[in-house]
Amino acid sequence: MDGFTVRYDLIILGASGFTGKYVVKEALKFLNAPSSPLKSLALAGRNPQKLSQALSWASHPNPPPAVPILTADTTDPHSLGRLVSQTKLILNCVGPFRLYGEPVVAACADSGCDYLDICGEPEFMERMEAAYHEKAVEKGCLVVSACGFDSVPAELGLIFNSRQWVFPSAPNWIEAYVSLESDRRVVGNFGTYESAVLGVANADKLQQFRRSRPRRARPMVR
């Protein structure tokens, strides 16, 4: 990001979406909190009015803090370029990622801005690694997917389980199950449903893509 001034520690892209609002709510707990590295934050998306409403919802019952609202669209590379030039880290909440995610990854890889998302779509993640790994290494940026609810508990469970085994024993297969319990009705949202439908519909393409790539040794979990 040579030649640009980094103004924000974090920009949340897609902050007015179903999941984005909850991400904002959690981020506000860390903004300027003691010992927290998060000192500056901005929200970004297509509709400034909806972003302002999301900020008000996330900060309730307190008044909304003075968090900047930025306009950006995943179909507009110039707006994404302006976005990544202003921050150390983009947290992308705009899905389905197979439809809207790649331009954001590309902008981050080109600029050196770090990237996180809440994606749970294997094909998207693997294609982004194949397409942008070398560029990200060259620019010194991190591109990290699967930071959402459907991924983190399973990975933490895998790490915990793996540490219970004594070398040379090791698990070679783990199945994870999630149980949802609530006094209220459990609901989803259209974006998650759309991602799931597209993932199932394109499962054969994922297998073709995997077969087309060189086989690599699998990472070891310690």
Side-chain angles (χ1 to χ4, degrees), residues 149-158 161 173-179:
F149 168 76
D150 52 348
S151 307
V152 173
E155 294 192 4
L156 291 177
L158 168 62
N161 188 285
W173 185 271
I174 293 177
E175 293 186 12
Y177 300 88
V178 177
S179 176

Side-chain angles (χ1 to χ4, degrees), residues 122-187:
E123 184 181 356
F124 169 80
M125 292 186 279
E126 294 181 33
R127 289 188 183 278
M128 294 306 97
E129 188 273 336
Y132 297 100
H133 173 75
E134 299 299 332
K135 173 68 75 171
V137 170
E138 176 188 335
K139 293 290 186 175
C141 74
L142 299 174
V143 177
V144 183
S145 283
C147 297
F149 168 76
D150 52 348
S151 307
V152 173
E155 294 192 4
L156 291 177
L158 168 62
I159 293 172
F160 175 81
N161 188 285
S162 299
R163 290 176 176 173
Q164 311 311 306
W165 294 71
V166 179
F167 183 83
S169 300
N172 60 11
W173 185 271
I174 293 177
E175 293 186 12
Y177 300 88
V178 177
S179 176
L180 299 178
E181 297 182 9
S182 175
D183 294 333
R184 301 181 179 181
R185 184 166 59 96
V186 178
V187 297

Side-chain angles (χ1 to χ4, degrees), residues 5-212:
T5 301
V6 174
R7 301 177 59 187
Y8 311 111
D9 292 328
L10 169 66
I11 293 178
I12 302 174
L13 177 60
S16 61
F18 180 88
T19 304
K21 291 189 298 184
Y22 287 94
V23 172
V24 174
K25 188 173 185 177
E26 292 301 312
L28 292 178
K29 297 177 182 179
F30 295 92
L31 181 62
N32 291 318
S35 74
S36 171
L38 185 61
K39 303 303 181 184
S40 55
L41 167 70
L43 309 184
R46 294 178 299 175
N47 189 316
Q49 182 179 359
K50 288 185 177 180
L51 291 169
S52 296
Q53 292 171 351
L55 179 60
S56 296
W57 178 89
S59 57
H60 183 78
N62 301 315
V67 172
I69 302 296
L70 309 177
T71 302
D73 192 322
T74 59
T75 64
D76 181 358
H78 293 294
S79 72
L80 294 177
R82 290 193 301 270
L83 205 65
V84 300
S85 72
Q86 299 181 69
T87 186
K88 302 173 184 177
L89 172 64
I90 290 286
L91 200 170
N92 187 14
C93 300
V94 182
F97 289 87
R98 69 166 57 245
L99 301 181
Y100 308 115
E102 183 169 0
V104 188
V105 175
C108 288
D110 285 340
S111 69
C113 174
D114 290 336
Y115 171 94
L116 294 179
D117 69 33
I118 57 170
C119 176
E121 304 168 35
E123 184 181 356
F124 169 80
M125 292 186 279
E126 294 181 33
R127 289 188 183 278
M128 294 306 97
E129 188 273 336
Y132 297 100
H133 173 75
E134 299 299 332
K135 173 68 75 171
V137 170
E138 176 188 335
K139 293 290 186 175
C141 74
L142 299 174
V143 177
V144 183
S145 283
C147 297
F149 168 76
D150 52 348
S151 307
V152 173
E155 294 192 4
L156 291 177
L158 168 62
I159 293 172
F160 175 81
N161 188 285
S162 299
R163 290 176 176 173
Q164 311 311 306
W165 294 71
V166 179
F167 183 83
S169 300
N172 60 11
W173 185 271
I174 293 177
E175 293 186 12
Y177 300 88
V178 177
S179 176
L180 299 178
E181 297 182 9
S182 175
D183 294 333
R184 301 181 179 181
R185 184 166 59 96
V186 178
V187 297
N189 69 92
F190 180 76
T192 300
Y193 175 77
E194 187 178 13
S195 297
V197 170
L198 290 173
V200 172
N202 291 277
D204 58 331
K205 294 182 179 179
L206 174 59
Q207 296 305 317
Q208 292 173 8
F209 177 70
R210 287 174 173 172
R211 287 193 294 267
S212 71

